[in-house]
Each structure stands twice: as C-alpha cells, then as structure tokens.
C-alpha cells in the first residue's frame, strides 16, 4: 500500500491532521489503538480566550478563535454534527483579590470580559458570595461526539487501523518510510504522550502535566434545549452555553452529564485517578453546588504539555520523512485545528510553519 502520509494517533491532533490531509487531496492511513484514557478523551473541550490569575489573553487567540469556528463548522458539516457551541464562562470570584483582578482587567481591556446585570442570578444553583464576571467568546468543543464520528468515517473509508503502532517495525529512509505493508512519503506522529519516548522526538522539552476530572449526574438541574441540558443565555438563535468556574470548572458533558475538573500536576507517579482528587473535589462540590449530584465516573490523563507552552509542529531536521504534531498542552481544542492546517500547507505548498511552533527551532537538540 502506497500513501502520502502514515499518521500515528487519532486524538484531537490526528483528527484535524487527517481532516486537512483529506481536504488537500493527500492520501493517508491512520494507526490508532483507541486507548480509553487519552488526553483528548478526558478533555472538557473548552476554548477560553483568557487565561491565568491575571486573566491575560491566550496566545494567538484572535486568530485561533475564528479559525476554530470555521474548521469545526466544516468537519461538523461533513459529519452532520454540531461540534462547536458558543459558550460563556460564568467566573465566580473565589477571593476578593480575584474579583479586583477581574475588574482591573475589564477596565484596561474589555475584550472578552463582561459584568452581568445581576451578579446573583445563579444563586438558585450555586453558593457564592463575591459575585461573578463573564468571559465571552468562549466555545465548547463536543469531543465525545466528534472523535468517534470522525473515527467511524475513517473506518468506512478503510483508512484507519485500530492497532498498536510498533516503533521497532518502522524503517525510515530519506524520502519515505516503510511500516508493515505501508510505504509512505511521510510518517507524522500525533501520538500524544507516547512521543515522550519516541526514538525521534524524545529530546524535545515536553513537560507532562496530569489532569483529573469527575463525571456527574445532577438530576435536578433545570432542563433546557441547549446541549447538556444547561440553560441557554440570551435570545440568540444559537444558545450560548454557560460554563461555570470557581477554581474548578463545571461544563456539560455527553448524555446530559457534567464534567468537573481539573487538576494540573507536574509531579506524579502514574497517570491513574487518585482518591485525593476525588475526595477534595467532592467536598468542594458539596460547598458550591446547591442541587444534589452523583459521581458516575472519575477520569485522569496526562496532557502533552511543553516547557515553553508552545506546540511541536513539523519535520525532523535529520529525518525529513518523519513529522510531529504534538505539544498542545492545555489548549488542544484551539491549537490542533490551526497547526494541523499549517503542517499540511507546509507539505502541499511549502508554506512556512510559525517559527515559534516549528520543531526545527530544536534542530541542535534533535541533531545530537
Ligand atoms: C483533564 C484534562 C482536561 C482538558 N481539558 C481541555 C479543554 O477543556 N480544552 C482544551 O483545549 N484542552 C484540554 N485538555 C488538553 C487536551 O486534551 C490535549 O491538548 C489534547 O487532547 C492532546 O491531543 P493529542 O491528539 O495530541 O493527544 P491524545 O489525545 O493523547 O491522542 C493520541 C492518540 O494516539 C494514540 N496512540 C498513542 N500511541 C499509540 C500507538 N503506539 N499506537 C497506536 N495509537 C497510539 C492514542 O490512542 C490516542 O488516540 C485537557 C486535558 C486533560 C487531561
């Protein structure tokens, strides 16, 4: 079998890479093992234009938001799935300092921030004492809908192999790679945390970050026509989904359930769910949420984050047939569509990859 590209992994990166390869008419085959606890399967799916305690604008966000809107609409159109919903973060101030930081930031630059008309209009559902601010122009990606739907589409086209990729069976030549019966011009690794151990890319400055979340059933949550049975805000024809935050984030999940998380751990011994997180989060929820809830699941995964918080995109300086799309950290939902497109444009039209994302910024390290 001769293909343009052999893709390893179908998380968010592999999904958008194969989407763009198909759009540009390149042939490909994907190997993905369908592991249960990947980062993409654990993610809430939130795209938030601001970040951190100082509520600063997320890197490249103006460009990323419009690109994400268009790309999710196109792939969703092909799959007959509405996989990106407009959202708004209801940011309950956990401390008086956080309230002040929000107000200061709102005064300096109101883009993406707003104060509500009534700061206590969510008090039938939550306990909170210091009011809230809103982050506008957020999105919620429906990853539990998108990833399996795209997988099914690839299976129907006979271009997805549900197996484990064995690095020892890969032969890399200057102009192509061979793996089992496949010869391809390129192999591109979209294998998330597996790249930490890759013979080609393990020297990159990855900074693995573990995150945990609980899946909740909240039977008395008010039902509404929006996804996840959350009350839509405003009269807009496309309801804006409220996502709630007070240190932890509460967002709609599949099947009318809710996702609550997450932790950000740089130091951990294994990727499994911990009793500490469960107990801490359960106690927090009892203080925060007014309706009763049941914990149905507890998930954990490791984010493929990087030391400089910038992705790894492009081709190995010494092995031009070997590429990578990885390092999306906490922002896979907005970064993956954009950088998958850059990588494919680079392959098809020779366009440059942004220098601060191009993996060739590590040429010295990768050439050792
Ligand atoms: C708890 C948590 C919450 C998060 N919330 C958000 C959020 O709200 N918004 C956001 O933007 N980001 C979020 N993230 C980050 C986001 O999940 C990641 O940036 C993104 O999922 C990384 O995608 P990926 O495709 O690089 O890797 P992965 O999702 O890990 O995908 C890699 C794929 O490769 C396959 N694979 C690996 N090795 C092999 C092999 N040898 N053979 C075959 N297949 C293989 C795996 O099965 C998997 O399908 C969150 C992460 C976590 C952990």
């Amino acid at each position: 079998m001769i293909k343009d590209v052999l893709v390893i992994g179908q998380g968010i990166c592999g999904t958008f890479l194969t989407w763009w390869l198909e759009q540009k008419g390149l042939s490909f085959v994907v190997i993905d093992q369908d592991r249960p606890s990947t980062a993409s399967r654990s993610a809430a799916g939130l795209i938030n234009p601001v970040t951190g305690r100082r509520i600063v604008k997320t890197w490249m966000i103006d460009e990323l938001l419009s690109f994400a809107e268009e790309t999710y609409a196109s792939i969703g159109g092909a799959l007959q799935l509405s996989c990106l919903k407009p959202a708004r973060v209801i940011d309950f101030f956990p401390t008086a300092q956080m309230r002040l930081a929000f107000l200061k930031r709102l005064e300096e630059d109101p883009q993406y921030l707003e104060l509500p008309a009534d700061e206590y209009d969510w008090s039938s559902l939550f306990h909170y004492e210091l009011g809230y601010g809103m982050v506008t122009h957020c999105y919620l990606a429906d990853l539990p809908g998108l990833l399996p739907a795209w997988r099914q589409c690839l299976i129907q086209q006979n271009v997805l192999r549900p197996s484990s990729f064995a690095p020892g069976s890969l032969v890399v030549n200057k102009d192509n790679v061979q793996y089992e019966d496949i010869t391809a011009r390129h192999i591109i690794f979209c294998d998330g945390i597996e790249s930490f151990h890759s013979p080609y890319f393990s020297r990159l400055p990855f900074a693995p970050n573990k995150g945990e979340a609980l899946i909740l059933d909240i039977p008395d949550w008010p039902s509404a026509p929006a996804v996840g049975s959350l009350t839509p805000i405003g009269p807009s024809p496309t309801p804006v989904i409220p996502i709630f935050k007070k240190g932890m984030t509460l967002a709609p999940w599949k099947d009318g359930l809710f996702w609550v998380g997450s932790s950000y751990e740089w130091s951990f011994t294994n990727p499994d769910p911990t009793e500490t997180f469960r107990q801490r989060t359960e106690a927090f929820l009892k203080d925060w949420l007014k309706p009763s809830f049941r914990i149905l699941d507890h998930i954990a995964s490791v984010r493929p984050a990087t030391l400089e918080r910038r992705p790894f995109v492009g081709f190995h300086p010494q092995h031009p047939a070997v590429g990578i799309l990885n390092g999306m950290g906490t922002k896979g939902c907005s970064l993956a569509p954009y950088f998958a497109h850059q990588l494919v444009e680079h392959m098809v039209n020779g366009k440059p990859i942004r220098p601060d994302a191009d993996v060739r910024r590590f040429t010295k390290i990768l050439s050792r």
Side-chain angles (χ1 to χ4, degrees):
M1 174 190 287
I2 298 179
K3 297 281 180 183
D4 289 317
V5 188
L6 167 60
V7 178
I8 309 302
Q10 191 244 323
I12 308 180
C13 286
T15 293
F16 282 105
L17 180 65
T18 48
W19 166 253
W20 285 118
L21 288 172
E22 194 176 277
Q23 297 312 295
K24 300 288 173 184
L26 295 190
S27 62
F28 62 86
V29 60
V30 187
I31 298 177
D32 182 275
Q33 204 188 3
D34 205 11
R35 298 175 181 181
S37 314
T38 63
S40 301
R41 284 187 173 202
S42 309
L46 177 61
I47 299 178
N48 187 337
V50 298
T51 185
R53 287 181 162 268
R54 288 189 298 120
I55 321 160
V56 291
K57 263 170 77 169
T58 309
W59 180 58
M60 283 182 67
I61 196 62
D62 299 332
E63 215 171 333
L64 293 177
L65 278 184
S66 52
F67 198 86
E69 266 171 45
E70 281 170 31
T71 311
Y72 281 90
S74 316
I75 193 169
L79 295 169
Q80 297 180 322
L81 190 78
S82 166
C83 54
L84 193 73
K85 313 275 183 194
R88 186 174 281 203
V89 171
I90 307 297
D91 195 357
F92 297 114
F93 302 125
T95 61
Q97 285 86 343
M98 290 300 286
R99 183 184 171 89
L100 284 176
F102 188 96
L103 296 176
K104 183 164 178 274
R105 168 63 175 77
L106 179 67
E107 205 178 290
E108 287 163 5
D109 177 5
Q111 193 188 13
Y112 302 129
L113 301 187
E114 230 177 271
L115 276 179
D118 174 4
E119 281 194 72
Y120 289 92
D121 53 357
W122 289 103
S123 51
S124 62
L125 291 171
F126 295 92
H127 294 282
Y128 60 104
E129 296 82 37
L130 296 168
Y132 72 90
M134 291 188 292
V135 184
T136 61
H137 300 85
C138 303
Y139 285 98
L140 191 66
D142 176 13
L143 299 178
L146 173 62
L147 298 182
W150 184 242
R151 184 181 189 83
Q152 207 44 46
C153 182
L154 297 178
I155 289 171
Q156 272 163 14
Q157 293 176 48
N158 212 12
V159 292
L160 187 136
R161 294 189 183 180
S163 57
S164 179
F165 170 76
S169 305
L170 178 70
V171 178
V172 172
N173 304 311
K174 199 162 186 302
D175 301 324
N176 65 25
V177 299
Q178 282 161 302
Y179 181 79
E180 296 179 344
D181 60 328
I182 304 162
T183 301
R185 279 201 295 134
H186 293 291
I187 183 168
I188 299 182
F189 287 96
C190 300
D191 54 350
I193 57 169
E194 284 301 309
S195 275
F196 301 171
H197 317 290
S198 152
Y200 297 95
F201 296 111
S202 62
R203 289 203 171 110
L204 291 174
F206 281 106
N209 182 280
K210 181 177 169 180
E212 299 186 47
L214 301 180
I215 305 300
L216 306 185
D217 181 21
I218 312 178
D220 295 333
W221 194 264
S223 61
V227 148
S229 308
L230 277 175
T231 317
I233 296 174
S236 142
T238 315
V240 177
I241 304 209
I243 292 169
F244 303 94
K245 203 171 161 202
K246 193 178 174 196
M248 287 279 171
T249 300
L250 178 80
W253 184 244
K254 60 186 170 187
D255 305 327
L257 302 175
F258 294 87
W259 180 105
V260 62
S262 168
S263 53
Y264 298 87
E265 285 171 58
W266 299 105
S267 170
F268 51 90
T269 46
N270 64 56
D272 303 331
T274 62
E275 199 47 39
T276 314
F277 175 84
R278 187 189 169 107
Q279 283 174 11
R280 186 163 42 89
T281 308
E282 191 172 359
F284 168 79
L285 286 169
K286 282 182 177 157
D287 276 351
W288 186 34
L289 262 183
K290 288 191 174 170
S292 59
F293 62 89
R294 279 187 314 136
I295 298 172
L296 299 190
D297 202 359
H298 180 180
I299 52 182
S301 189
V302 178
R303 302 174 180 91
T306 70
L307 269 188
E308 336 148 278
R309 295 170 194 237
R310 297 290 177 263
F312 298 146
V313 185
F315 290 96
H316 195 288
Q318 299 218 306
H319 305 283
V322 181
I324 186 166
L325 180 67
N326 206 325
M328 304 295 154
T330 57
K331 311 242 174 330
C333 295
S334 52
L335 295 177
Y338 184 93
F339 283 104
H341 181 253
Q342 281 221 337
L343 187 53
V344 174
E345 278 292 322
H346 178 68
M347 291 166 71
V348 176
N349 296 319
K351 288 195 181 164
I353 297 165
R354 265 184 74 108
D356 47 4
D358 192 334
V359 79
R360 291 200 180 211
R361 67 195 189 277
F362 298 109
T363 293
K364 248 189 184 167
I365 299 174
L366 293 174
S367 306
R368 272 185 209 146

